[in-house]
């Protein structure tokens, strides 16, 4: 078996870390604080349904390529399964299970009435033509069509997918059922029932948490510096929103490398560069910044705020002690391992955990789903009002819980969320 085929492991440096095992350890710490019984744990910890599909696709040259796809529904006690679909070459079942698990507890942390799910296809979408990508997306949705529905399971974008892919998913479902069904998908283009504010919602939600966190930590965003790992949907808008607040962004990165300027990177100029380029590759020739020799060193820079917004397992025991940021806002899902959390706790780093910090996306998805079901659409002002209220009050509920139980923000978020999932699960009882 080659390293690439070791599909249950997510690699970090040389040591494999299971994202799902990491997720379960987070759960266990909160379950212990809550004194949950083994029966309560058994009902809500593991995924409810795991589906794996083979997806044959006619390529442009006439050949047939078979891709592997997954959909995991982790829990549906509080509402339909909810969670994105990832197109990435490193997708594996362990990762999809972890991501579905985090969705259950993310929705519960912000009290959005959804359960948790996640999907993925093992594919490098950059290597496919638009036609190939559309055929793959439609085949995935058609193959799993019985799982999906506005009251069953509602997918959304994740790494490697975007509003265009969501349009193909929604159209496949609508054609199959003979009726326009926008509420089966969120993250759609505005023209097809998407919500105002959805594109930036995850980063905007992260910012609402950051506003509350800097108040708590007595920091001033105008005097802060920040580093942002990942420059996709979450990373780029987080960098832009921080920049707009006067925070000095000293480093950014994407899959092509990390770029640094201690005097501050001109983020609007980077956005301008990306209008004509897919990645940050070569941006240092146009925007004043230098390419770092080790992209992972971005995480260890002496900044006030660190935003990991790429992939999971980036901060591990190998680099945790070298992290200097006072505040880490987890844009990505699972960027810090449980062992690394312990090191950060000891060093007094304040972490806004993923299931709270990046919940703005799913919160806005919920608002999109509500609008689809009403057939009435709100302004961005109305969306921001709700998003700000939900994110800020969720942050403060988690902060209070962390003080009450004397635990870090991650365990506190799980305590808030697990209580809600357990309650719903017990009130529903067992169908038999
Ligand atoms: P994206 O595909 O838009 O962007 C991912 C970015 O990460 C790209 O810039 C890519 O080049 C970069 N990247 C990939 N590997 C990297 C590496 N090794 N080092 C540095 N950069 C790397 O994805 P996204 O939607 O921004 O999602 C990013 C993270 O946020 C994921 O963990 C995702 O699950 C999570 N998330 C996304 C949303 C959302 O609404 N998009 C919501 C919640 C959580």
């Amino acid at each position: 078996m080659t390293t690439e085929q070791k599909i249950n492991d997510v690699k970090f440096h040389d040591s494999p870390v299971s994202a799902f095992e990491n997720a379960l350890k987070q759960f266990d710490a909160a379950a212990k604080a809550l004194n949950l019984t083994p029966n309560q744990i058994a009902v809500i910890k593991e995924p409810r349904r795991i589906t794996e599909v083979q997806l044959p696709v006619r390529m442009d040259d006439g050949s047939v390529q078979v891709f592997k796809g997954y959909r995991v529904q982790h829990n549906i006690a509080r509402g339909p399964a909810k969670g994105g679909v990832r197109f990435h070459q490193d997708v594996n079942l362990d990762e999809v299970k972890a991501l579905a698990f985090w969705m259950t507890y993310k929705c519960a942390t912000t009290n959005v009435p959804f359960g948790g799910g996640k999907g993925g296809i093992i594919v490098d979408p950059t290597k496919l033509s638009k036609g190939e990508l559309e055929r793959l997306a439609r085949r995935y949705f058609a193959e799993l069509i019985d799982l999906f529905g506005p009251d069953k399971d509602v997918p959304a974008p994740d790494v490697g997918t975007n509003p265009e892919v969501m349009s193909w998913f929604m159209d496949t479902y609508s054609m199959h059922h003979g009726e326009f069904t926008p509420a089966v998908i969120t993250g759609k283009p505005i023209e097809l029932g998407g919500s105002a504010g959805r594109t930036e919602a995850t980063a905007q939600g992260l910012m609402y948490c950051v506003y509350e966190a800097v108040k708590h930590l007595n920091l001033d965003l105008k005097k802060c510096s920040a580093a942002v790992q990942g420059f996709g949907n979450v990373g780029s808008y987080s960098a832009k929103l921080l920049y707009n607040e006067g925070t000095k962004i000293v480093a950014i990165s994407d899959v092509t490398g990390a770029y640094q300027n201690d005097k501050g990177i001109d983020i609007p100029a980077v956005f301008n560069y990306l209008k004509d380029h897919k990645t940050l590759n070569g941006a240092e020739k146009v925007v004043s910044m230098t390419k770092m020799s080790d992209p992972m060193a971005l995480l260890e820079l002496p900044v006030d705020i660190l935003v990991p917004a790429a992939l999971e397992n980036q901060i591990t025991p190998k680099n945790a002690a070298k992290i200097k940021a006072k505040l880490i806002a987890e844009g990505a899902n699972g960027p810090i391992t449980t062992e690394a959390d312990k090191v950060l706790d000891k060093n007094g780093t304040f972490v806004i955990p993923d299931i709270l910090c990046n919940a703005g996306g799913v919160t806005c998805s919920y608002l999109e789903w509500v609008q689809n079901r009403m057939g009435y659409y709100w302004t961005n002002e109305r969306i921001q009002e709700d998003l700000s209220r939900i994110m800020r009050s969720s942050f403060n509920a988690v902060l209070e819980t962390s003080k009450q139980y004397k635990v870090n923000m991650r365990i506190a978020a799980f305590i808030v969320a697990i209580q809600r999932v357990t309650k719903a699960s017990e009130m529903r009882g067992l169908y038999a």
Side-chain angles (χ1 to χ4, degrees), residues 86 88 99 103 106 118 157-161 198-199 201-203 229-236 253-257 278-280 295-296 308-312 314 330-335 354 358-362:
R86 181 173 289 194
H88 194 274
L99 292 165
M103 285 308 297
K106 189 180 301 186
K118 203 81 179 192
D158 192 70
V159 176
T161 54
R198 177 63 184 90
T199 310
T202 304
Q229 184 196 41
F231 214 77
N233 175 285
V234 183
S236 68
S253 74
D254 73 357
V255 74
T256 68
K278 279 187 173 171
T279 66
L280 296 176
M296 292 302 284
L311 297 170
E312 54 270 23
Q314 296 301 299
E330 290 188 326
N333 288 308
D354 47 9
N358 69 34
V362 74

Side-chain angles (χ1 to χ4, degrees), residues 275-328:
K275 279 187 194 152
D276 301 321
H277 302 83
K278 279 187 173 171
T279 66
L280 296 176
N281 192 29
E284 75 277 17
K285 293 180 192 127
V286 182
V287 184
S288 175
M289 55 190 187
T290 50
K291 193 163 181 174
M292 297 170 73
S293 54
D294 174 13
M296 292 302 284
L298 171 145
L299 301 168
E300 298 163 16
L301 291 172
V303 291
D304 300 295
I305 304 172
L306 178 62
V307 182
L311 297 170
E312 54 270 23
N313 298 327
Q314 296 301 299
I315 302 178
T316 72
K318 286 198 174 184
N319 57 356
K322 297 183 196 149
I323 304 291
K324 297 171 195 75
K326 299 181 183 89
L327 167 61
I328 302 182

